[in-house]
Amino acid sequence: MKLVAAAKVRRAQEAVINGRPFTEALVELLYTINESLQCDDVDCPLTVIRPVKKVALVVITGDRGLCGSFNSAVIKKAESRISNLKGLGLDYTVISVGKKGNSYFTRKDDVSVERFVEGVGFPTAKEAQMIADDVFSLFVTEEVDKVELVYTKFVSLVKSDPVIRTLLPLSVRGEVFDVNGNCVDAVEDELFMLTTKEGKLAVERDKVRVEGGPISPLMQFEQDPVQILDAMMPLYLNSQILRALQESLASELAARMNAMSNATDNAVELKKNLSIVYNRERQAKITGEILEIVAGAEALT
């Protein structure tokens, strides 16, 4: 199982690394366009910031076990966020992705689940689009006022972190409030920050996003910016969900590889210890039989 996971994790890792530049650049461009249109009377439903009464949580787990604490860590993160929302007096609903999460939330009668989505192995754009359609429908019909992703971020083969990321609405952290004016963003909400290093533009991960730069005057839009925003928002939804699925799969495979490696090491150590115990018991039995034979011979003489 370790070898199988090791063979699969490379493909998943490459998908994560290759997809990050596109999704990060797309998010930054959308933020910049959205911020430049704030002064205009623009009607783009996915960027509307309204008082939050209900939050949708898209929780992404694995389809199989034997991967250490991977699934339980994501579920604990989701439960923590649910408790936080309850403390703020907000309603919530869950879209569960993955068999392990589905199995867990099926047993939880006190958790409101909008939909269960079964995993299909390696994430595809079709699977991401199906989830994005559900999220789009919930947000546009105003059934929910905020959508968050709860998934495992792939850091390396030996480390992965469960994170929360705001998916909708497209806004800077600290701008989404409930009806009482309280900020409802998660404390550890993962956003992106643009910085410059040695005169070159670089993207860094950070929990707070700084203001992005204005659109370059050399950049010309053939269509109206509103049309571009409407056309790119579905792409944004699809790419962000696909990326979360890819990172979650890579984290799951890495966790399984490490778990099976630890299990193998433990089995080798257990075998060694049991061999020592067995040899001691066998030697003690042989020694006892020899002593009985010697004692019997002495008795005859």
Side-chain angles (χ1 to χ4, degrees):
M1 291 185 69
K2 174 188 173 182
L3 295 176
V4 171
K8 291 181 179 179
V9 74
R10 182 173 180 82
R11 180 187 175 194
Q13 184 180 7
E14 289 177 350
V16 170
I17 294 174
N18 294 337
R20 276 178 179 171
F22 170 76
T23 54
E24 291 174 1
L26 177 63
V27 168
E28 187 58 34
L29 179 62
L30 283 173
Y31 268 117
T32 306
I33 295 176
N34 187 41
E35 289 171 4
S36 66
L37 295 176
Q38 290 300 313
C39 299
D40 301 333
D41 186 14
V42 178
D43 183 19
C44 183
L46 297 184
T47 61
V48 174
I49 302 174
R50 51 181 180 261
V52 177
K53 299 178 182 177
K54 188 173 183 179
V55 178
L57 298 175
V58 182
V59 183
I60 302 175
T61 59
D63 290 331
R64 298 170 58 196
L66 297 177
C67 50
S69 61
F70 168 79
N71 290 308
S72 61
V74 181
I75 292 173
K76 286 180 180 178
K77 193 76 172 180
E79 287 284 7
S80 174
R81 182 56 174 159
I82 289 173
S83 299
N84 181 244
L85 292 174
K86 288 181 178 178
L88 293 171
L90 300 176
D91 197 6
Y92 68 91
T93 186
V94 173
I95 297 177
S96 177
V97 182
K99 293 180 180 178
K100 287 298 178 180
N102 294 351
S103 176
Y104 174 81
F105 288 114
T106 300
R107 300 192 302 268
K108 297 283 288 185
D109 296 331
D110 58 333
V111 176
S112 172
V113 180
E114 177 71 24
R115 183 176 178 184
F116 295 103
V117 180
E118 293 289 341
V120 292
F122 199 81
T124 61
K126 183 178 180 181
E127 182 184 8
Q129 185 63 53
M130 179 177 62
I131 301 171
D133 289 342
D134 290 339
V135 169
F136 179 85
S137 176
L138 287 173
F139 189 80
V140 171
T141 58
E142 299 187 8
E143 292 184 41
V144 299
D145 306 300
K146 192 171 190 282
V147 181
E148 296 177 348
L149 284 172
V150 184
Y151 67 101
T152 306
K153 180 181 67 176
F154 179 79
V155 180
S156 67
L157 290 176
V158 294
K159 184 183 180 184
S160 56
D161 300 320
V163 297
I164 299 174
R165 177 175 174 78
T166 297
L167 188 63
L168 291 173
L170 189 66
S171 65
V172 180
R173 180 186 171 198
E175 290 187 355
V176 183
F177 301 90
D178 61 10
V179 291
N180 298 319
N182 300 317
C183 181
V184 299
D185 287 329
V187 176
E188 299 178 355
D189 199 337
E190 187 194 52
L191 299 173
F192 294 105
M193 179 178 66
L194 280 179
T195 60
T196 56
K197 286 186 178 180
E198 300 178 356
K200 297 181 179 180
L201 194 65
V203 178
E204 288 186 351
R205 293 182 177 274
D206 202 293
K207 292 179 182 177
V208 181
R209 176 182 173 272
V210 299
E211 295 295 328
I215 298 177
S216 171
L218 299 178
M219 185 181 297
Q220 295 182 357
F221 296 101
E222 293 185 1
Q223 294 85 10
D224 186 73
V226 179
Q227 291 179 313
I228 296 176
L229 199 61
D230 287 338
M232 292 181 69
M233 284 305 293
L235 180 61
Y236 160 77
L237 277 178
N238 199 332
S239 64
Q240 291 300 310
I241 293 174
L242 179 59
R243 174 189 170 185
L245 293 172
Q246 290 173 338
E247 296 223 14
S248 181
L249 177 65
S251 302
E252 179 187 358
L253 292 172
R256 180 170 294 112
M257 185 177 69
N258 293 326
M260 293 301 100
S261 178
N262 293 334
T264 301
D265 295 340
N266 293 337
V268 171
E269 184 69 20
L270 180 61
K271 180 182 177 182
K272 179 181 177 182
N273 294 336
L274 289 178
S275 296
I276 293 174
V277 173
Y278 169 76
N279 289 332
R280 285 176 179 173
E281 292 292 332
R282 184 172 64 87
Q283 188 64 41
K285 184 176 181 181
I286 293 173
T287 303
E289 291 176 350
I290 292 175
L291 290 176
E292 290 176 0
I293 294 171
V294 172
E298 288 292 334
L300 291 176
T301 58

